[in-house]
Amino acid sequence: MVGVFGQNLPREKREITLPSGRKITVLEMTGREEMLLKIRTGKVYEALNNFFISLTEGLDGKGGSPDLKQFDEMLIQDRNMIMIEVRRLTHGDIIERKGKCGNQDCNADMEHEIDLKSIIDSFKPYPHGDKREFSVKTDIGEIWYEL
């Protein structure tokens, strides 16, 4: 990110372990990434992958940003964790919401807080890491899963 005087400004970074067991570093979001989310071409999935690419580096200890194929193949809970961690790094752990009750007879003011750290803490590791296909033995046979 280039600052007002032409110098690169440092971005906050955080290395995380994904539910699949893979490690990745997430970066603080800038206006550039916010613009990626506003793209209205109908290619939402592609825009999200470009968003993830610009906000991550060092997948599995490799330098640079992951490529489109790596994000395309990533398990959904890993992608969810990246999205939440980017939000935490950029705006903090708490999301505060204010509004009014939707019931016309009530119309009371409402406030709600969402603690993103507690959501991240509730993520459980995938029992089979990054594998998309696995089986579980039961007393009547074997069940195959594909994520």
Side-chain angles (χ1 to χ4, degrees):
M1 177 169 63
V2 178
V4 289
F5 299 109
Q7 53 191 305
N8 287 332
L9 299 175
R11 293 167 75 175
E12 293 289 325
K13 297 180 180 185
R14 179 181 297 145
E15 184 178 76
I16 60 173
T17 301
L18 301 170
S20 65
R22 302 175 83 183
K23 292 193 182 290
I24 195 165
T25 299
V26 295
L27 308 172
E28 177 184 18
M29 188 167 50
T30 67
R32 179 184 179 281
E33 287 82 28
E34 288 182 14
M35 291 305 294
L36 285 172
L37 291 178
K38 291 181 180 182
I39 294 173
R40 301 286 184 225
T41 62
K43 298 179 181 179
V44 175
Y45 189 74
E46 185 178 316
L48 277 174
N49 279 344
N50 287 325
F51 174 81
F52 284 129
I53 289 167
S54 67
L55 288 168
T56 55
E57 62 187 27
L59 179 63
D60 298 327
K62 297 177 185 149
S65 295
D67 61 30
L68 193 59
K69 185 175 188 278
Q70 289 171 306
F71 274 106
D72 193 42
E73 295 173 349
M74 191 173 280
L75 296 171
I76 191 67
Q77 198 69 334
D78 285 356
R79 294 167 65 98
N80 289 340
M81 180 177 265
I82 291 169
M83 183 73 82
I84 294 170
E85 287 288 4
V86 165
R87 168 52 173 87
R88 286 182 62 213
L89 195 59
T90 306
H91 300 290
D93 287 339
I94 304 296
I95 296 175
E96 295 178 355
R97 291 289 175 235
K98 296 180 181 181
K100 295 215 177 261
C101 177
N103 182 334
Q104 291 179 349
D105 295 331
C106 175
N107 206 26
D109 290 331
M110 298 172 52
E111 293 184 22
H112 186 71
E113 287 188 351
I114 301 169
D115 182 356
L116 296 175
K117 175 137 178 28
S118 69
I119 292 172
I120 290 295
D121 291 344
S122 73
F123 279 45
K124 303 222 180 327
Y126 286 124
H128 300 281
D130 198 31
K131 291 182 186 175
R132 292 186 167 275
E133 297 178 10
F134 60 92
S135 66
V136 175
K137 294 184 191 279
T138 69
D139 55 345
I140 59 170
E142 191 170 16
I143 301 172
W144 282 90
Y145 293 92
E146 182 178 349
L147 302 176

